[in-house]
Amino acid sequence: MAAKNFIVAIELGSTKITGIAGQKKPDGSISVLAVVREDATQCIRKGVVYNIDKTVQCITNIVQHLRTQLHTGIKHVYVGVGGQSIHSERNIMVRDLTDGASVSSDLVDDMMDANSALEYPEMEILDVIPQEYRADSLLQIDPVGIQCSHLEGLYLNILQNRRHYNKLNMCFEHAGVKIAELYLAPFALADAVLTAVEKRSGCVLIDLGADTTTVMVYYKDIVRHIAVIPLGAGNITKDICSLPVEESEAEKLKLKYASAYTAVEDIDTSMKYEIDSERIIDSSRFIELVEARVYEIIANAWNQVPSEFSERLMGGIILTGGGSNLKNIDIAFRKQTNVEKVRIANFVTYTIVSNNSEVNAHDGTMNTAIGLLAKGDQNCWQPEETRTRGIFEDNSATSTEQSQTEEIETRDINDLPPGVILTAAEKAAAEKKIADAKAKEEAEKAAQEQARAEEEARAKAEADKNLKQGKGIMARVIKFFADVTKPDEE
């Protein structure tokens, strides 16, 4: 029997695109109904789309396979994005107030709007995370109502390369797949694997993917930094290929023998690892290759942690993703970062019910997709008889974009939950709304200025008339008195 109430999410990973469908149960658990994964190495590099046509085909295949497994139509999907081009930058907005003035909500909104309107060369602001406000010398999360003479707003702007942002949106438009909501995948992952205590006390979430490693820093429940570095577990495989072996063989060797850390006393220089019945390699050489690359990944990831937070991470380091399955990866992080508290998040904190082997593997590779699924709150079901003709065809992109634009007219980027970002169609609609409001405001201002000018002209004309009349009266009065006081002629 076809399901009639479900959520569908699509994650664009560093080397794979994953589609997942599931139902949220009254008890808070999530039942996974279908999972589809497509190899994206021919169209996505380090989480960034570089071949639009092949990405469109992957998305189309995923939605079609999900429809087949669900035995029904799909109205829209939730989409998670990440990739190398995403990073964060801090910014400060400053406002001076008259002495004794209180900070108003309008002032805070104005500062947020001014920050969101910043232009970064070739970059798109995806999301803005307010950090704190400094009212004179006092730090506050919410400064409204506080009296001060100087206010600073600290913001974390999350950016993506504009070309990559546009390509991503174009892929779903060309595939005719409607987006219910576009979400920053690292945020969905963080909510799925981190505890409230870890976010509050300060922690670093490190997602070790195949081609990229994502670093996310939390402190006092606020995201403080996010970065994606172009190194992942796949780089270890490529290094093993230098032995030399084929990539497929290198991957098998990594899974069988690789360890992120091996104590010096445990290294046996005489030990050999078997590649096949005819070839062997020195274990010490293999260990050296693996550890060198692991060291580089850890060093680069730890370098992303801002210095002001590196000593405040009471929640420690949380590792997840496929690369977190590498033997002794937690020990390697402890050794190189001097952070003793290291946890491997092999699975999400939600209760998941599934018969799918990939979901039940609990190896960290499905955490982001499940996190995106958990974020969904709109039913994605669409009855077959009402399903838009050609929903998976390229020529449906125009109607899809139009319907998305119509839905978002009332959405404001400042009102979106953390991690939710506007699609290109939504952003265009929001910008049009702002432009229309500004044009209306300018027209009203111009009308007011014109009315004021006309009123001033009328007042001046009336004053001139009164002055002229006054001068005439005065002239007659002067003449009268002159005539009265004129001596009589003899």
Side-chain angles (χ1 to χ4, degrees):
M1 183 177 177
K4 294 185 178 181
N5 193 336
F6 56 84
I7 306 296
V8 175
I10 294 179
E11 176 208 355
L12 282 80
S14 61
T15 58
K16 286 184 173 63
I17 300 178
T18 302
I20 186 170
Q23 291 178 326
K24 293 183 176 181
K25 300 298 184 180
D27 62 359
S29 65
I30 299 174
S31 176
V32 176
L33 305 176
V35 174
V36 178
R37 306 188 87 173
E38 286 272 328
D39 177 66
T41 52
Q42 298 302 310
C43 56
I44 291 179
R45 287 194 185 125
K46 302 188 183 302
V48 173
V49 173
Y50 74 90
N51 188 310
I52 293 176
D53 291 343
K54 290 183 178 180
T55 304
V56 168
Q57 189 58 53
C58 281
I59 294 170
T60 302
N61 290 343
I62 283 174
V63 176
Q64 286 177 333
H65 287 313
L66 288 174
R67 284 187 60 244
T68 300
Q69 293 184 41
L70 295 169
H71 306 291
T72 188
I74 295 173
K75 182 180 181 182
H76 48 220
V77 302
Y78 288 83
V79 178
V81 298
Q84 184 185 348
S85 71
I86 290 178
H87 70 281
S88 63
E89 290 193 15
R90 299 184 191 183
N91 184 55
I92 299 177
M93 302 301 296
V94 178
R95 294 290 186 273
D96 289 317
L97 292 75
T98 56
D99 290 338
S102 296
V103 178
S104 66
S105 57
D106 287 341
L107 176 59
V108 173
D109 290 343
D110 176 69
M111 294 174 70
M112 181 73 167
D113 290 340
N115 176 80
S116 299
L118 286 175
E119 291 288 338
Y120 291 88
E122 299 183 0
M123 303 301 290
E124 192 84 22
I125 295 181
L126 299 182
D127 200 2
V128 177
I129 311 295
Q131 303 292 285
E132 293 102 358
Y133 293 86
R134 188 183 299 276
D136 289 336
S137 60
L138 187 66
L139 279 176
Q140 291 287 324
I141 298 297
D142 182 5
V144 175
I146 294 177
Q147 290 183 326
C148 63
S149 59
H150 183 79
L151 182 66
E152 294 182 0
L154 287 71
Y155 304 95
L156 188 73
N157 295 333
I158 300 177
L159 312 175
Q160 184 181 33
N161 183 284
R162 187 171 287 114
R163 294 197 319 275
H164 300 328
Y165 171 81
N166 291 334
K167 282 182 181 179
L168 172 71
N169 283 274
M170 195 182 301
C171 288
F172 281 89
E173 289 169 12
H174 288 183
V177 177
K178 185 177 174 183
I179 299 175
E181 207 155 63
L182 197 57
Y183 214 89
L184 281 166
F187 282 77
L189 174 63
D191 289 344
V193 301
L194 296 181
T195 67
V197 173
E198 287 169 336
K199 287 184 179 181
R200 184 173 61 253
S201 59
C203 69
V204 180
L205 174 63
I206 300 179
D207 180 18
L208 298 160
D211 275 2
T212 60
T213 296
T214 303
V215 181
M216 201 171 187
V217 180
Y218 274 90
Y219 183 67
K220 291 186 177 179
D221 285 326
I222 298 173
V223 176
R224 305 296 179 164
H225 184 72
I226 183 171
V228 182
I229 60 177
L231 294 169
N235 293 93
I236 300 174
T237 303
K238 292 174 183 176
D239 288 346
I240 296 173
C241 289
S242 66
L243 287 175
V245 294
E246 294 293 331
E247 188 167 341
S248 58
E249 295 173 329
E251 181 67 18
K252 291 177 182 177
L253 288 170
K254 182 182 75 174
L255 295 175
K256 187 174 181 179
Y257 299 118
S259 174
Y261 173 79
T262 304
V264 175
E265 60 269 21
D266 292 335
I267 298 176
D268 184 353
T269 56
S270 64
M271 181 179 290
K272 309 292 183 182
Y273 291 153
E274 184 180 285
I275 299 175
D276 51 38
S277 58
E278 299 178 351
R279 293 179 298 166
I280 57 173
I281 56 174
D282 292 333
S283 63
S284 56
R285 173 61 178 151
F286 184 87
I287 291 170
E288 181 184 351
L289 279 173
V290 172
E291 289 192 1
R293 181 62 75 176
V294 170
Y295 177 86
E296 182 185 19
I297 293 171
I298 295 175
N300 278 273
W302 187 245
N303 188 55
Q304 290 298 325
V305 180
S307 57
E308 63 265 38
F309 299 112
S310 60
E311 300 297 326
R312 301 181 181 180
L313 305 175
M314 301 299 292
I317 298 173
I318 295 86
L319 307 176
T320 190
S324 66
N325 294 298
L326 189 64
K327 182 182 176 183
N328 292 334
I329 189 67
D330 52 340
I331 298 176
F333 268 89
R334 289 190 188 97
K335 293 285 186 182
Q336 293 185 43
T337 65
N338 293 318
V339 175
E340 285 300 316
K341 196 171 184 179
V342 179
R343 176 173 73 87
I344 298 177
N346 290 322
F347 203 55
V348 298
T349 57
Y350 312 122
T351 301
I352 304 297
V353 179
S354 175
N355 293 323
N356 185 276
S357 59
E358 291 179 295
V359 173
N360 292 330
H362 290 204
D363 59 3
T365 60
M366 291 295 297
N367 290 353
T368 301
I370 295 173
L372 290 167
L373 187 66
K375 289 295 176 186
D377 56 7
Q378 299 178 38
N379 187 6
C380 297
W381 171 65
Q382 180 170 313
E384 287 290 338
E385 60 270 19
T386 62
R387 183 169 60 88
T388 304
R389 183 178 180 272
I391 190 170
F392 301 113
E393 299 172 7
D394 290 350
N395 60 11
S396 65
T398 303
S399 61
T400 301
E401 180 177 354
Q402 181 180 358
S403 62
Q404 287 178 340
T405 303
E406 291 171 354
E407 286 183 2
I408 134 86
E409 287 182 355
T410 58
R411 291 188 8 142
D412 188 314
I413 188 171
N414 294 339
D415 295 332
L416 298 176
V420 178
I421 59 181
L422 298 180
T423 64
E426 290 175 328
K427 185 178 282 289
E431 290 173 350
K432 183 178 183 301
K433 181 180 177 182
I434 293 171
D436 290 346
K438 186 176 181 181
K440 182 180 178 182
E441 182 182 349
E442 290 177 350
E444 290 175 349
K445 185 177 179 180
Q448 291 173 356
E449 290 290 340
Q450 183 177 353
R452 188 181 299 109
E454 291 174 353
E455 182 62 31
E456 290 175 353
R458 282 195 297 270
K460 186 176 184 302
E462 186 68 25
D464 291 345
K465 179 181 177 182
N466 292 337
L467 180 61
K468 185 176 181 181
Q469 290 176 347
K471 287 181 178 180
I473 293 172
M474 183 61 71
R476 289 193 294 273
V477 170
I478 292 172
K479 185 177 182 301
F480 171 76
F481 279 106
D483 292 342
V484 171
T485 58
K486 183 178 181 182
D488 294 337
E489 294 182 0
E490 295 181 357

